[in-house]
Amino acid sequence: MTLMKKFLGAAAAVAVTAGAALADPAIIFDLGGKFDKSFNEAAFRGAQRWADETGGKFLEIELQSEAQREQALRRFAEAGANPIVTTGFAMSTPLSEVAPDYPDTKFVTIDGWVEAPNVHVVGFAEHEGSYLVGLLAAKASKTGTVGFIGGMDVPLIRKFACGYAQGVKAGNPDATIIANMTGTTPAAWNDPVRGGELTKAQIAQGADVVYAAAGGTGIGVLQAAADAEGVLSIGVDSNQNHLFPGKVLTSMLKRVDVAVYNIMTAGENLEVGFEALDLSQDGVGYALDENNASLISEDMKTSVEDAKAKIIAGDIKVHDYSSDDSCPVLDF
């Protein structure tokens, strides 16, 4: 059974249910909410799976503002939660400040970076998974123009875009790639109206496949693509194919759910360090199910599986934007 804990305001405190075990794990969902149908929701599914299978319970909070980040960490640590899982790169700074004050508590950052003896860092090879969906986009496009819409303009999202662009160019060297970011503040993760507007603008420029890597904003991207004739979208993090059956080409899977499940399973015995989940570990991938089966031809499937095998074998090197803040095939 999950203990639902929400802040009602920046100054509100996390209450702990009487009788809660001191070693219950906790999870802090990033802005956008745990039911964003994307990144946060994947994390929630992992936590809920752990709870369902073990009968355990976990503390949780959906952040409503930037001011709550450090407060949530301290409240959970003081309540005895262990480990405390944080989602999103924006938790890096507050976590680096809080973790040293609670040396006996194990913290986890998913997508962030903190160097501390009690912090476990989980990263993903988003560029590899994005390459695969980019290859599919190129093969599905009839106009030769595809789009990318990111959330907040940060290196992590450019990593998605760059991998996608490399896959597109592998499928069609002459393809045109239009890339837009929603904004430069955390609000960019939860603005589906703006996502829809950017999608319509890209469609007006000829894009007939649009990849969204924008959290809750991406729902607006998928909706706008579904409303347009002859246009497909690509989902991200969670499998979003079912949201608009037959109109979502595929989804780039980022197995945040698996990471959270494994972390909660390890509990206080979690070995801290750095964990990178890539294609070889099914940490990233692409979604194929009954909702998009008619959109993915056998030729497309063969091509993407061949590319996947070559990336795992090292025969295809997908450039990681975050390695040098550059992309060989896309200008930002």
Side-chain angles (χ1 to χ4, degrees), residues 197-211:
E197 292 172 348
L198 290 172
T199 304
K200 292 173 184 176
Q202 291 191 354
I203 292 171
Q205 297 175 71
D208 61 350
V209 182
V210 183
Y211 176 27

Side-chain angles (χ1 to χ4, degrees), residues 38-267:
S38 187
F39 179 79
N40 285 330
E41 191 159 334
F44 172 69
R45 286 200 309 272
Q48 191 60 54
R49 175 189 166 198
W50 170 83
D52 290 342
E53 292 185 5
T54 64
K57 54 185 178 293
F58 58 90
L59 302 171
E60 64 177 299
I61 180 175
E62 298 177 64
L63 296 178
Q64 303 298 316
S65 71
E66 291 294 308
Q68 294 174 342
R69 294 186 186 281
E70 182 173 339
Q71 187 182 40
L73 285 166
R74 292 191 182 280
R75 294 293 182 178
F76 281 145
E78 290 167 6
N82 197 12
I84 298 172
V85 182
T86 70
T87 60
F89 66 90
M91 289 298 296
S92 298
T93 297
L95 184 53
S96 67
E97 295 172 353
V98 172
D101 295 340
Y102 302 92
D104 295 328
T105 300
K106 293 180 179 178
F107 297 87
V108 178
T109 173
I110 297 177
D111 276 358
W113 182 261
V114 177
E115 293 187 48
N118 58 331
V119 176
H120 183 63
V121 178
V122 181
F124 293 84
E126 294 95 349
H127 55 305
E128 294 180 352
S130 294
Y131 181 100
L132 298 183
V133 300
L135 179 60
L136 290 173
K139 291 187 172 296
S141 176
K142 294 179 172 57
T143 65
T145 298
V146 302
F148 173 88
I149 294 176
M152 188 176 174
D153 189 2
V154 291
L156 175 62
I157 299 304
R158 292 189 174 204
K159 182 179 178 182
F160 279 86
C162 186
Y164 174 67
Q166 290 173 78
V168 170
K169 289 295 187 178
N172 178 7
D174 298 322
T176 297
I177 303 158
I178 306 169
N180 296 114
M181 299 293 182
T182 304
T184 57
T185 69
W189 301 119
N190 194 28
D191 193 348
V193 173
R194 179 60 175 159
E197 292 172 348
L198 290 172
T199 304
K200 292 173 184 176
Q202 291 191 354
I203 292 171
Q205 297 175 71
D208 61 350
V209 182
V210 183
Y211 176 27
T217 297
I219 302 303
V221 176
L222 271 59
Q223 179 70 67
D227 291 342
E229 186 69 29
V231 178
L232 298 172
S233 63
I234 296 176
V236 74
D237 295 337
S238 296
N239 183 351
Q240 298 181 318
N241 296 355
H242 68 282
L243 296 179
F244 300 97
K247 293 290 288 184
V248 181
L249 177 64
T250 187
S251 297
M252 199 291 278
L253 301 177
K254 182 173 171 178
R255 300 308 301 273
V256 179
D257 57 330
V258 173
V260 172
Y261 173 82
N262 290 341
I263 289 162
M264 289 192 173
T265 298

Side-chain angles (χ1 to χ4, degrees), residues 243-307:
L243 296 179
F244 300 97
K247 293 290 288 184
V248 181
L249 177 64
T250 187
S251 297
M252 199 291 278
L253 301 177
K254 182 173 171 178
R255 300 308 301 273
V256 179
D257 57 330
V258 173
V260 172
Y261 173 82
N262 290 341
I263 289 162
M264 289 192 173
T265 298
E268 293 178 280
N269 296 320
L270 176 70
E271 294 186 9
V272 298
F274 175 68
E275 178 182 7
L277 300 175
D278 58 16
L279 269 181
S280 67
Q281 300 165 299
D282 286 326
V284 293
Y286 71 101
L288 180 63
D289 58 25
E290 67 277 8
N291 296 300
N292 70 334
S294 63
L295 303 174
I296 308 293
S297 67
E298 286 301 318
D299 174 67
M300 292 166 68
K301 192 185 304 183
T302 298
S303 295
V304 76
E305 285 297 323
D306 180 62

